[in-house]
């Protein structure tokens, strides 16, 4: 049996505000195999973003373990986590979060500044990433000169340019119209099927969830699984 | 693209803001460098003072003269190699605003006291042998376009001749300059005898004595011996090094060092606050972008350096432009004969520039520290919460 990509064990997350303590989830256990494409759904405030943050090592659990490819990440130092993220995780956000001062190509190049790649190779990689998401013709444009769908494509290119194992997407189509959302989702599906990227995608949109291999419903700190197309 | 591209693009993302910040930094460094240039030039005498030279003045004040006999008495003091004497003439040429710094001196001992002076036109002999000779400093000659052979009258606003007039006629018979360009040659010298004989009052007095000791190590002993010799006499003396004398002389104009410190201090305090608050706000506006960079995997120390580099770059660009502008302005001023005559060698200079660069680095670090720290510490999850 090969090692799973993620193994979450007895994961709990609580926020304490003064004397009050709210539990987002309690003793959550789940496995994400390599190459998986999961859609996470659930009501607002159910902890979907919190879960993505734990998977991405930008938030720490109150208790429990997050194991990535056999290595615990929940107790890593900030510096080690930054390195780990740069090598293994790509993030895609609802509002794209591109750097407004940089062109599309420069935005995509950003994660490569953390690698030892030379200028020529970086350019090559940026070009490839932009090609994969179908936006190479807009390489020189700034985010304000791009539509929402185009910006999200650039954001996806940025997420994959360093060749991570997993893409963590928080409502990637939440700000897009149906047709554009479908294009973006098709791109994600392509990345999953053709390039074997594991994808964990939070969404409110049931038709977006259809692009995933499986759906998880997060409610009151528990998962309800729903197997989709194979 | 590299880290520097990011720093540059972030700094100039809001052009108007960046330009206003640069402008305020530029002004502060302009003030600093212009005042620094004047200070340097005024103090040139202090810095270039010869180590073996002492000056003896009346203890009351250096504007009060001493009996002529002191000159001879000091010559016999142990450790004294040469003594000369000089007197403030306070001259002007044609009109009072054409101020000509003129001293009545004993030519031979005076030239011995100042071996760094050399004659570029005429000769030492011409000066020594012509009783009405006016030896003119090269910077002064340039200012009034004077040449050897001309006759010039100078008026004194202090002294009077026996016939009631206060203009003395001179033959320009020599022009001298200092070996070192930083030493001003913006004054004129003439014979004490010519001066003394024509005076209506205050004859047989000397303004101050210039002493060369046998060795700088003897300076203290020689000063003490001289001052002890005239202790309890009607004209007590005070003997100091030439550097201390020059400094006291400049301070007659006001405490220039203090003025410069106060003015540049106020300018720097102001930009420190303006640039500091603006940087904090500018980085706060970018909390989300910084969170994205951290999410991508940029380590916190690198974020810290990035923000600090921005404020450093800002400060260096503004500061260097300010010093550059000051250097151009000062250069333009120094082209005017009036300025080059009274303040020869006026320029910003390397010392002021290097101190300025030090201030730029300090300003950049101080204004960048808080925003860089905030950026480094910002929590990613919380930053995304703040949409
Ligand atoms: N820093 C915090 N301090 C206290 N409570 C927090 C904090 N961050 C999140 N929460 C709470 O945790 C809960 C889960 O938040 P989360 O953002 O994960 O929800 P979500 O499922 O992503 O919701 P949405 O669909 O609206 O994005 C919410 O009730 C929220 O108020
Ligand atoms: Mg959310």
């Amino acid at each position: 049996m090969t090692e799973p990509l993620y193994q979450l064990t007895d994961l709990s997350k609580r926020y304490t505000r003064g004397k009050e303590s709210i539990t987002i989830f309690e003793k959550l256990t789940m496995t994400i195999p390599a190459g998986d494409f999961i859609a996470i759904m659930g009501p607002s405030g159910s902890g979907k973003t919190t879960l993505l943050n734990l998977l991405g090592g930008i938030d720490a659990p109150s208790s429990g373990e997050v194991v990535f490819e056999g290595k615990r990440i929940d107790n890593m130092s900030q510096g080690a986590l930054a390195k780990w993220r740069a090598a293994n995780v790509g993030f895609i956000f609802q509002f794209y979060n591109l750097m407004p001062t940089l062109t599309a190509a420069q935005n995509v190049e950003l994660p490569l500044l953390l690698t030892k790649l030379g200028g020529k190779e970086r350019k090559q990689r940026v070009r490839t990433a932009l090609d994969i998401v179908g936006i190479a013709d807009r390489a020189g444009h700034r985010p304000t000169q791009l539509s929402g769908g185009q910006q999200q494509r650039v954001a996806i290119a940025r997420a994959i340019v360093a060749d991570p194992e997993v893409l963590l997407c928080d409502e990637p189509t939440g700000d897009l119209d149906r047709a554009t959302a479908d294009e973006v989702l098709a791109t994600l599906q392509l990345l999953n099927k053709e390039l074997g990227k594991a994808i964990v995608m939070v969404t409110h949109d049931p038709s977006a969830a259809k692009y995933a291999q499986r759906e998880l419903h997060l409610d009151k700190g528990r998962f309800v699984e729903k197997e989709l197309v194979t | 693209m590299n880290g520097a591209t990011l720093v540059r693009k972030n700094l100039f993302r809001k052009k108007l803001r960046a330009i206003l910040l640069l402008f305020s930094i530029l002004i502060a460094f302009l003030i600093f460098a212009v005042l620094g240039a004047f200070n340097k030039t005024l103090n040139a005498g202090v810095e270039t003072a010869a180590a073996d030279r002492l000056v003896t003045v009346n203890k009351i004040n250096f504007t009060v003269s001493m009996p002529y006999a002191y000159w001879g008495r000091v010559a016999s003091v142990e450790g004294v190699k040469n003594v000369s004497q000089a007197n403030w003439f306070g001259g002007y040429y044609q009109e009072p605003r054409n101020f000509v710094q003129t001293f009545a001196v004993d030519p031979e001992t005076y030239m011995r006291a100042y071996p760094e002076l050399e004659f570029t036109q005429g000769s030492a002999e011409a000066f020594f042998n012509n009783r009405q000779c006016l030896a003119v400093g090269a910077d002064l000659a340039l200012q009034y376009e004077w040449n050897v052979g001309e006759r010039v009258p100078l008026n004194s606003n202090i002294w009077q001749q026996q016939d009631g007039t206060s203009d003395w006629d001179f033959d320009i018979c020599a022009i001298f300059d200092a070996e070192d360009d930083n030493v001003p040659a913006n004054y004129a010298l003439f014979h004490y005898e010519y001066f003394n004989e024509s005076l209506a009052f205050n004859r047989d007095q000397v303004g101050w004595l210039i002493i060369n000791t046998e060795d700088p190590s003897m300076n203290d002993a020689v000063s003490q011996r001289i001052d002890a010799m005239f202790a309890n006499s009607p004209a007590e003396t005070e003997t100091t090094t030439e550097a201390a004398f020059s400094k006291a002389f400049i301070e007659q104009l006001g405490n220039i060092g203090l003025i410069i410190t106060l003015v540049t201090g106020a300018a720097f305090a102001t930009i420190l606050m303006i640039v500091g608050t603006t940087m904090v706000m500018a980085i706060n506006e970018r909390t989300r972008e910084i969170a994205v960079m951290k999410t991508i995997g940029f380590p916190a120390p690198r974020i810290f350096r990035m923000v600090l580099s921005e404020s450093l770059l800002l400060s260096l660009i503004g500061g260097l432009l300010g010093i550059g502008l000051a250097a151009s302005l000062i250069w333009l001023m120094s082209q005017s004969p009036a300025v080059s005559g009274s303040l020869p060698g006026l320029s910003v200079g390397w010392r002021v520039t290097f101190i300025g660069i030090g201030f730029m680095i300090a300003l950049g670090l101080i204004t960048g520290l808080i925003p860089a720290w905030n950026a480094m510490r910002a929590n990613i999850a919380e930053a995304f919460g703040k949409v």
Side-chain angles (χ1 to χ4, degrees), chain B residues 46-365:
Chain B
V46 178
E47 281 169 22
T48 56
D52 71 341
R53 266 198 304 257
L54 301 177
V55 176
T56 300
V57 297
N58 192 308
K59 199 173 179 180
I60 300 168
N61 188 300
F62 71 80
T63 57
V64 179
S65 52
M66 299 170 289
Y68 182 82
Y70 280 25
W71 180 24
R73 290 183 62 188
V74 167
S76 64
V77 169
E78 190 195 335
V80 170
K81 199 168 73 182
N82 179 59
V83 197
S84 188
Q85 48 103 345
N87 301 266
W88 183 245
F89 180 72
Y92 63 86
Y93 175 57
Q94 293 171 339
E95 297 173 56
R97 67 184 183 91
N98 295 331
F99 171 66
V100 177
Q101 195 172 314
T102 312
F103 304 114
V105 303
D106 175 60
E108 293 189 30
T109 52
Y110 193 87
M111 297 317 290
R112 236 178 280 148
Y114 294 93
E116 67 268 33
L117 298 180
E118 46 195 34
F119 287 93
T120 53
Q121 286 182 50
S123 64
E125 282 66 42
F127 180 32
F128 297 165
N129 298 332
N130 178 349
R131 235 172 57 94
Q132 285 200 29
C133 175
L134 185 73
V136 180
D139 296 306
L140 188 65
L142 198 69
Q143 183 184 353
Y144 290 107
E145 296 175 349
W146 284 341
N147 288 300
V148 166
E150 284 179 48
R151 267 189 97 80
V152 293
L154 287 182
N155 276 62
S156 172
N157 37 27
I158 307 174
W159 309 108
Q160 235 178 42
Q161 302 206 36
Q162 283 140 9
D163 61 9
T165 64
S166 57
D167 39 282
W168 272 259
D169 284 321
F170 295 105
D171 291 324
I172 296 179
C173 71
I175 290 178
F176 64 88
D177 202 355
E179 285 166 14
D180 182 347
D181 284 343
N182 286 324
V183 178
N186 56 340
Y187 52 92
L189 305 169
F190 71 100
H191 283 248
Y192 173 77
E193 281 179 17
Y194 176 43
F195 168 71
N196 191 47
E197 281 166 15
S198 50
L199 279 183
F201 57 89
N202 208 47
R203 283 172 94 167
D204 299 327
Q205 295 280 318
V206 293
W208 63 91
L209 302 174
I210 303 121
I211 295 131
N212 299 79
T213 56
E214 277 165 11
D215 189 90
S217 66
M218 304 173 79
N219 287 358
D220 284 345
V222 170
S223 331
Q224 278 164 20
R225 271 178 221 139
I226 294 172
D227 293 343
M229 192 156 74
F230 302 115
N232 301 317
S233 76
E236 296 197 333
T237 59
E238 182 164 316
T239 305
T240 54
T241 60
E242 185 180 42
F245 178 71
S246 296
K247 203 155 178 239
F249 189 80
I250 294 160
E251 280 170 4
Q252 289 290 299
L253 298 172
N255 193 337
I256 294 175
L258 183 67
I259 293 169
I260 290 179
T261 311
L262 289 179
V263 173
T264 47
F268 280 128
T270 312
I271 51 160
L272 202 64
M273 286 187 287
I274 295 174
V275 179
T277 23
T278 313
M279 280 303 289
V280 169
M281 291 192 308
I283 300 301
N284 269 350
E285 283 168 19
R286 272 159 50 199
T287 304
R288 204 182 163 85
E289 282 172 40
I290 286 164
V292 172
M293 291 185 75
K294 287 185 176 177
T295 307
I296 288 173
F298 280 82
R302 187 158 170 174
I303 303 274
F304 183 85
R305 282 202 304 274
M306 183 183 79
V307 174
L308 210 55
S309 307
E310 268 179 55
S311 66
L312 268 175
L313 183 66
L314 179 76
S315 167
L316 281 170
I317 295 175
L320 289 174
L321 286 175
I323 290 189
L325 187 61
S328 319
L329 288 177
I330 290 284
W331 183 83
L332 278 177
M333 278 189 228
S334 72
Q335 296 308 294
S336 134
V339 174
S340 65
S342 48
L343 290 169
L346 181 67
S347 68
V348 171
W350 289 114
R351 210 176 106 88
V352 171
T353 306
F354 283 130
I355 294 173
I357 291 173
F359 280 152
M360 289 169 214
I361 293 172
L363 176 74
L365 291 179

Side-chain angles (χ1 to χ4, degrees), chain A residues 92-96 148-149 152 156 169-186 188 201-209 211:
Chain A
I92 297 163
F93 310 89
Q94 179 176 358
F95 297 109
Y96 333 123
Q152 195 60 300
I156 296 173
C169 320
D170 200 348
E171 303 189 34
T173 57
D175 200 43
L176 303 175
D177 64 40
R178 183 74 267 147
T180 315
D182 281 330
E183 282 171 24
V184 166
L185 289 161
L188 288 178
M201 175 177 77
V202 166
T203 181
H204 276 118
D205 177 5
S207 50
Y211 285 84

